Amino acid sequence: MDSEQTSTGARAAAAVKVYVHGEWPPLLPPNDDEGHGLTTGGDASYTAAIVLSPPRTTTGDDVDGGSGAAARVVRPNVATLGAGATVDDAKAEFLQLYPYNLDGITGEYLSLFDEKNRVLEGSSVIFKLVKDKQDLFVWTASESVVMRLKDTGNAAIEKGSNDLAVKEYTRAISCGKLCKRPPQKLMCLCYSNRSEAYIRLNNFNSAIRDANAAIKCDPTHTKSYFRLGTAHYKLNQYSEAVAAWEKGLPYADPASIKQFQSWISKAKLPQSTTTTKSTSSGTRKYAPALEKLVKEAIENKSWKQAIAMLSAIVEAAPDEHEKLYQLGLIYLQQSKNFTQAAQLFERATKAAPREYQYHLELGRTWCKLKQYPEALLSLRRALENASDKSLAVKDEITVSLADAFMLNGEEDTAMKLYSSILARDQKHCGALRGYARVLFNRAQAAGSSDAKYDDLHQEALQVRLHVLVANQTDEQSREDLCDSVAVPGGIERVFKQLNTLTSEGASAFAWLGSILKDYSVLPQSCELYERSMQLQSNNASFALNWVHVFEARSMYKSALCKAMHFLQINPTLMVGGVSCQSILDIIAPLHPEAWSTERPTSPDVSIAAGEVIPDVSAAEKTAYTPAQLDLVALFFTVTKLLYVLGYLQFVGPLASLLETCREGRDLHLTVVRNEQAYFSCIHENTKLRQLPLTLTPQKIYLIGDSHCLSPAWKNVTHKGSSYTLHPYLVTGIKLWHLRPESRFYPKANFFNVLAQIPHGATVVSILGEIDCREGFLIAIEKGRYKDLDEAVQFSVNIYMELLRNLIKTRNWTIYVHPVSPVLNETRKIVIAFNGILKQRVHEVAATIPSHKLVWLDFFEQMLDPDTEASASASADSTKSAAFRSGFVLKPQFKLDGTHLNPAYVDNLLSPALS
């Protein structure tokens, strides 16, 4: 095979050889019997091409000096492939030119070849690369190929070989589409005859689709209306059948009119007696009003309700592929039940095998299940079925296909697919995201000692930043960016990329910092917030979030120092009558050397940058602005840090001062509701404490969310000695966050806390309240679990595996605290959770020696029977959840409506520990 190099300056993707299947010149096909020819637009219109054509005798008209032998083409970018070669010989290079057809020639183009992979007589296919863009031109010489294939299908259907007939008609239709001027009348016959074959195969949905396509090609074709009506009739879709036949009646010849009228009468008879309603998506054996309810449930995000109704529909009508697909999407996107989603998508593809969306989502779901060969198969089918769709649709499928190749370890193939899209659309986010991931993986595989390591990472980061800016809420783009920043040198690459940002760009650093925090890239998040503070040193939002990141790192003293530093350099900022300086005045005796007067390193303009926060006095009671809410939240957070660190002597005066900021305001309904909740709990706790604290040298460590604050700094009796309860706070922790695949920052916060507790310690674990309060209900609503029992069992299994591992690796003695039954609305859930948790603790404890795992058995002692449930429930229906539980919290254990009164420590916790 002769070859020559591509011309100088041609891009890398253009370096594709040209194959001539036959003996005539590659760049100009022969004229057909209709006088067709290929208009090239001049030699400069393309840089390379693949030409596939049947062998034929070369004449002087075909090539200068032709002698009947294989042509020797003197032209750049050309190589010849002899007449004996097959399509398989061109696969590798073809993939670079037209990546949608990964097996060389598939889909419609496969119809141009015989069973031996030879180009059909009368056809030629030309694939060309046009300048800097990929393009495809397909040449079919005449209608003779379409006619020949149609006749083959007719012969098959006459013999009863309906499957073979469908195959031949499909080939004929594909060839017809590839004609320069598709023969509409002939296409109508092919579609209509394939519709008949589908009817004989009882594939009525496909028959309907083909009959409609035939009518579109030739609106006067009588048999197409007949077949359309017949398919509807077979599906019990009588009104649709009548409509089809009535539309065909004007085109029927006199001999057929009576037959049409007979069919119409036949179809109208069952309409008056049946209650079954049908559509093109399948037979409906359910009330049509149910569709409206499903739509409303989805719009209202009532996923549990939508799942129940859609499940009932597909059970009554198994061929309702649209509903199968809809239900599969809910399980995929909301429930994260990938196995169930895959089953539903598979059923949808069987009911409607030519719907590309069904194969696409099935392929994506297989990727979630790490079944990559199955994913590749489904995605290829999606691409084949989308052959008549827009380029944007094909690109979407191609990106998913490339993703599957990458996950299957075939990165080179994936890179070719991404690059093929980017060659014509440099801003395609899906292709860019995949391209960057390949670069990142290659950098990681090369290792830091490789010369290309830093360049690959820098390019991957640059692309990922671009994609994230274009898709700011996309979870995968956020996660990818975090991967790039988390590797060694990642944050330095970010600063290198964003080194031109001025004070106005401080928000960009803060925004990136918030993303890194969410995905537990905490040290780098701190650096980004520090940079944003250097650019705008009086921005309370930046300061608040910077402090929260230090909290997530379990660096409470550093967090307090950062907060105090902000207050010190912004002493006049004020909200609700409370200024930063007034906070500093209260805590002045606390290690004053920690609050340096040094300002952050920044341009002079930074001190004046950011939003000025005008004071709103407590008397005015107007709504706080976002900036004022951030400042209030920072004040509340300072109070929390002081409490967690044990500086209770400052907490009381500070909380009393800050009370003026929230009096008469519903801060629990604002974006600072979490900070407000912590402050409320601490404020009420501090009122009940006697100062100064009497701390013992022996410690018991409390691990948990805000519910570890009530018992904090109390002394208990344990094994005959006095111990002080030290809080190790994990903000917002759910048991759900602790599953292995989670990257959410409360999980990192949790393990950062664990790292600070010594080997062999005694620990009280207070987890599960947020799961009971909101986690279970949300997960059940999304269909993640079928009921509360399944949800609780899943979370408790995570809990027990965690505790078992901590006892094994850290030699801790762990006491499991029951979830507090404070909230009326969730008490029933808490009772169920604690019942299962208690049982599982006892089961696991029996397998662990030396009483290392113990259930603190005082939950029932917190509750009283609800003797006034019935009367109160009828008077106040809003309390129905509490009354259904049958119990109420004892008055002596009430505090702020959310947390336990610290009195429970002396009455219940200490006796249980002793």
Side-chain angles (χ1 to χ4, degrees):
M1 184 171 68
D2 299 325
S3 66
E4 295 182 7
Q5 297 299 317
T6 56
S7 59
T8 304
R11 62 191 183 85
V16 181
K17 299 180 181 64
V18 177
Y19 292 86
V20 182
H21 195 142
E23 299 178 343
W24 48 272
L27 300 181
L28 290 174
N31 289 343
D32 62 53
D33 52 8
E34 294 180 318
H36 293 168
L38 174 63
T39 301
T40 64
D43 290 347
S45 63
Y46 50 87
T47 57
I50 294 180
V51 181
L52 303 171
S53 178
R56 59 179 279 162
T57 302
T58 306
T59 67
D61 294 332
D62 293 321
V63 61
D64 294 339
S67 60
R72 171 69 177 178
V73 182
V74 182
R75 184 183 291 273
N77 314 326
V78 172
T80 61
L81 185 64
T86 69
V87 176
D88 292 335
D89 297 320
K91 282 184 178 179
E93 283 76 8
F94 181 82
L95 175 61
Q96 298 181 56
L97 274 181
Y98 197 63
Y100 298 126
N101 300 301
L102 294 172
D103 293 326
I105 309 291
T106 60
E108 293 173 352
Y109 312 109
L110 185 62
S111 302
L112 295 173
F113 303 93
D114 62 19
E115 64 279 359
K116 294 182 180 179
N117 270 1
R118 304 299 177 94
V119 181
L120 292 173
E121 181 181 353
S123 299
S124 61
V125 188
I126 298 175
F127 300 96
K128 66 180 182 179
L129 190 64
V130 181
K131 292 184 179 179
D132 290 334
K133 296 182 179 179
Q134 289 190 6
D135 195 10
L136 169 69
F137 186 93
V138 182
W139 178 274
T140 301
S142 71
E143 296 179 13
S144 61
V145 179
V146 184
M147 182 66 76
R148 198 160 56 246
L149 291 170
K150 178 187 76 68
D151 291 343
T152 305
N154 290 350
I157 204 169
E158 288 175 4
K159 295 178 181 179
S161 302
N162 298 310
D163 285 321
L164 177 60
V166 167
K167 179 180 178 181
E168 294 304 315
Y169 290 135
T170 300
R171 286 161 60 83
I173 291 167
S174 296
C175 284
K177 291 180 180 180
L178 301 178
C179 287
K180 186 173 184 179
R181 290 194 295 267
Q184 294 301 313
K185 297 282 187 181
L186 188 55
M187 293 287 283
C188 171
L189 295 177
C190 295
Y191 277 119
S192 188
N193 290 355
R194 191 171 70 174
S195 177
E196 175 64 26
Y198 277 134
I199 289 173
R200 298 185 183 195
L201 291 168
N202 295 322
N203 188 343
F204 303 120
N205 288 312
S206 295
I208 290 170
R209 183 172 54 249
D210 275 359
N212 281 318
I215 292 168
K216 186 176 181 180
C217 291
D218 182 3
T220 68
H221 191 249
T222 308
K223 285 187 178 181
S224 297
Y225 290 103
F226 165 67
R227 288 161 179 160
L228 176 62
T230 300
H232 280 302
Y233 186 88
K234 292 290 187 179
L235 288 172
N236 299 326
Q237 300 169 358
Y238 302 118
S239 60
E240 289 88 344
V242 169
W245 287 330
E246 287 180 340
K247 287 180 180 179
L249 195 58
Y251 309 111
D253 57 50
S256 303
I257 289 177
K258 288 186 177 180
Q259 192 174 10
F260 263 103
Q261 291 173 337
S262 174
W263 296 330
I264 292 169
S265 299
K266 181 181 178 181
K268 284 183 175 180
L269 180 62
Q271 288 189 71
S272 60
T273 58
T274 184
T275 58
T276 302
K277 182 173 177 62
S278 306
T279 70
S280 61
S281 102
T283 304
R284 292 184 185 161
K285 300 178 181 178
Y286 59 91
L290 197 56
E291 266 198 50
K292 182 180 179 181
L293 295 176
V294 170
K295 183 179 179 181
E296 291 176 352
I298 292 175
E299 289 175 350
N300 296 329
K301 298 184 179 180
S302 300
W303 304 116
K304 183 180 180 182
Q305 184 181 7
I307 288 172
M309 290 187 289
L310 286 170
S311 298
I313 290 174
V314 299
E315 182 177 354
D319 62 338
E320 276 281 352
H321 55 84
E322 291 180 358
K323 298 298 180 287
L324 288 166
Y325 175 67
Q326 207 170 18
L327 184 57
L329 286 178
I330 295 176
Y331 276 113
L332 173 65
Q333 298 170 359
Q334 305 300 326
S335 307
K336 309 299 182 184
N337 188 335
F338 305 132
T339 300
Q340 184 67 31
Q343 293 173 358
L344 290 162
F345 290 139
E346 277 194 299
R347 289 175 58 187
T349 59
K350 291 176 181 177
R354 292 180 64 83
E355 294 290 342
Y356 79 89
Q357 301 100 316
Y358 303 169
H359 294 284
L360 174 59
E361 294 303 337
L362 177 59
R364 288 169 171 171
T365 307
W366 284 133
C367 285
K368 295 288 187 182
L369 292 168
K370 300 182 179 181
Q371 301 292 323
Y372 304 125
E374 291 86 349
L376 291 170
L377 179 61
S378 294
L379 292 167
R380 280 178 170 136
R381 287 173 176 167
L383 206 47
E384 291 172 2
N385 289 339
S387 60
D388 60 341
K389 303 300 179 183
S390 68
L391 188 60
V393 169
K394 293 176 182 178
D395 282 350
E396 178 189 5
I397 302 172
T398 301
V399 166
S400 293
L401 184 59
D403 292 343
F405 273 119
M406 181 173 56
L407 293 169
N408 197 43
E410 300 177 65
E411 286 191 350
D412 290 342
T413 302
M415 196 60 151
K416 289 179 181 179
L417 294 179
Y418 296 135
S419 299
S420 70
I421 297 173
L422 295 173
R424 62 172 177 275
D425 183 2
Q426 297 181 0
K427 296 182 180 181
H428 193 285
C429 287
L432 284 171
R433 182 166 52 235
Y435 178 86
R437 187 177 294 181
V438 173
L439 292 178
F440 178 85
N441 291 344
R442 288 176 176 177
Q444 291 296 91
S448 57
S449 59
D450 192 287
K452 297 181 179 179
Y453 174 83
D454 195 63
D455 290 340
L456 287 170
H457 270 310
Q458 188 70 50
E459 184 179 359
L461 175 67
Q462 181 179 3
V463 174
R464 285 174 165 177
L465 283 169
H466 172 82
V467 172
L468 182 59
V469 170
N471 299 269
Q472 297 185 12
T473 60
D474 181 67
E475 291 299 326
Q476 188 60 60
S477 299
R478 286 170 167 245
E479 188 170 355
D480 287 349
L481 177 73
C482 292
D483 288 339
S484 281
V485 181
V487 298
I491 193 65
E492 289 78 9
R493 297 184 192 99
V494 172
F495 291 139
K496 180 180 179 181
Q497 193 69 37
L498 305 179
N499 62 357
T500 60
L501 289 182
T502 62
S503 60
E504 290 76 15
S507 295
F509 289 118
W511 175 61
L512 292 175
S514 69
I515 294 172
L516 297 186
K517 174 194 173 187
D518 282 347
Y519 286 90
S520 301
V521 188
L522 299 177
Q524 294 87 340
S525 176
C526 274
E527 292 191 56
L528 286 167
Y529 275 117
E530 182 175 13
R531 183 64 62 92
S532 67
M533 285 298 297
Q534 290 174 354
L535 294 171
Q536 288 188 18
S537 59
N538 64 344
N539 190 303
S541 175
F542 298 166
L544 174 66
N545 285 284
W546 193 20
V547 168
H548 283 332
V549 178
F550 276 107
E551 288 184 85
R553 298 176 69 183
S554 195
M555 299 171 66
Y556 298 113
K557 289 186 177 180
S558 294
L560 184 59
C561 286
K562 301 303 179 185
M564 292 301 100
H565 186 77
F566 175 84
L567 301 182
Q568 191 176 42
I569 63 175
N570 297 285
T572 60
L573 288 183
M574 180 179 294
V575 63
V578 179
S579 68
C580 294
Q581 185 59 53
S582 61
I583 304 289
L584 292 170
D585 291 342
I586 290 176
I587 64 171
L590 178 63
H591 304 301
E593 68 277 6
W595 326 132
S596 170
T597 57
E598 181 183 354
R599 293 177 181 269
T601 302
S602 60
D604 293 339
V605 70
S606 68
I607 303 305
E611 181 179 355
V612 176
I613 307 177
D615 178 40
V616 175
S617 69
E620 291 179 351
K621 303 297 187 238
T622 57
Y624 287 143
T625 67
Q628 291 163 346
L629 286 172
D630 288 331
L631 188 58
V632 169
L634 183 62
F635 291 167
F636 288 169
T637 300
V638 169
T639 309
K640 177 180 68 174
L641 293 170
L642 291 169
Y643 185 89
V644 170
L645 291 169
Y647 299 129
L648 271 64
Q649 65 272 33
F650 304 108
V651 171
L654 183 55
S656 298
L657 173 66
L658 292 176
E659 190 64 19
T660 61
C661 293
R662 66 174 191 150
E663 284 180 350
R665 302 179 190 279
D666 294 327
L667 294 182
H668 63 287
L669 301 178
T670 70
V671 294
V672 300
R673 55 187 173 275
N674 289 332
E675 288 87 355
Q676 137 75 20
Y678 275 107
F679 177 80
S680 176
C681 173
I682 291 169
H683 189 22
E684 296 302 320
N685 258 286
T686 308
K687 292 177 183 178
L688 301 174
R689 299 302 178 95
Q690 293 184 354
L691 299 177
L693 296 175
T694 304
L695 305 181
T696 67
Q698 299 186 95
K699 302 177 181 179
I700 291 179
Y701 300 87
L702 300 171
I703 300 176
D705 56 21
S706 62
H707 291 269
C708 75
L709 298 180
S710 288
W713 307 117
K714 297 275 289 183
N715 292 333
V716 296
T717 301
H718 176 58
K719 296 183 178 180
S721 300
S722 180
Y723 286 72
T724 298
L725 300 174
H726 286 249
Y728 278 70
L729 177 65
V730 185
T731 301
I733 187 67
K734 296 178 185 176
L735 294 172
W736 170 253
H737 296 151
L738 299 176
R739 67 195 192 284
E741 65 271 23
S742 174
R743 294 183 64 176
F744 195 35
Y745 75 90
K747 178 180 178 180
N749 188 182
F750 181 80
F751 285 101
N752 286 333
V753 163
L754 299 189
Q756 296 188 0
I757 300 176
H759 190 83
T762 299
V763 174
V764 174
S765 179
I766 312 177
L767 301 176
E769 191 277 333
I770 303 179
D771 297 87
C772 291
R773 172 158 40 93
E774 59 182 41
F776 294 145
L777 296 178
I778 293 174
I780 294 170
E781 176 60 35
K782 289 184 175 181
R784 193 164 289 153
Y785 310 108
K786 64 181 179 181
D787 52 31
L788 179 62
D789 183 73
E790 183 180 357
V792 171
Q793 293 285 1
F794 184 88
S795 295
V796 168
N797 286 341
I798 294 175
Y799 199 0
M800 291 302 99
E801 185 61 29
L802 170 72
L803 297 184
R804 190 198 301 271
N805 184 60
L806 290 173
I807 292 170
K808 179 180 179 181
T809 59
R810 308 295 297 276
N811 193 32
W812 286 355
T813 298
I814 302 177
Y815 292 87
V816 180
H817 193 294
V819 171
S820 303
V822 177
L823 293 174
N824 294 332
E825 294 77 9
T826 61
R827 190 169 297 123
K828 184 178 181 181
I829 298 174
V830 168
I831 290 173
F833 178 84
N834 282 332
I836 294 174
L837 179 59
K838 176 180 178 179
Q839 178 182 352
R840 291 287 287 122
V841 168
H842 288 321
E843 291 172 357
V844 174
T847 67
I848 298 174
S850 305
H851 303 287
K852 287 290 187 178
L853 182 64
V854 180
W855 171 255
L856 293 171
D857 199 5
F858 57 79
F859 175 69
E860 291 81 0
Q861 300 174 51
M862 297 183 186
L863 301 171
D864 279 334
D866 189 6
T867 57
E868 300 179 359
S870 299
S872 299
S874 60
D876 187 354
S877 61
T878 62
K879 297 182 179 179
S880 58
F883 297 119
R884 284 198 300 271
S885 74
F887 297 92
V888 295
L889 184 67
K890 290 182 177 180
Q892 62 267 37
F893 300 137
K894 294 181 179 180
L895 183 67
D896 60 351
T898 305
H899 302 88
L900 287 173
N901 190 301
Y904 95 97
V905 175
D906 296 331
N907 292 303
L908 300 176
L909 180 56
S910 183
L913 286 169
S914 65

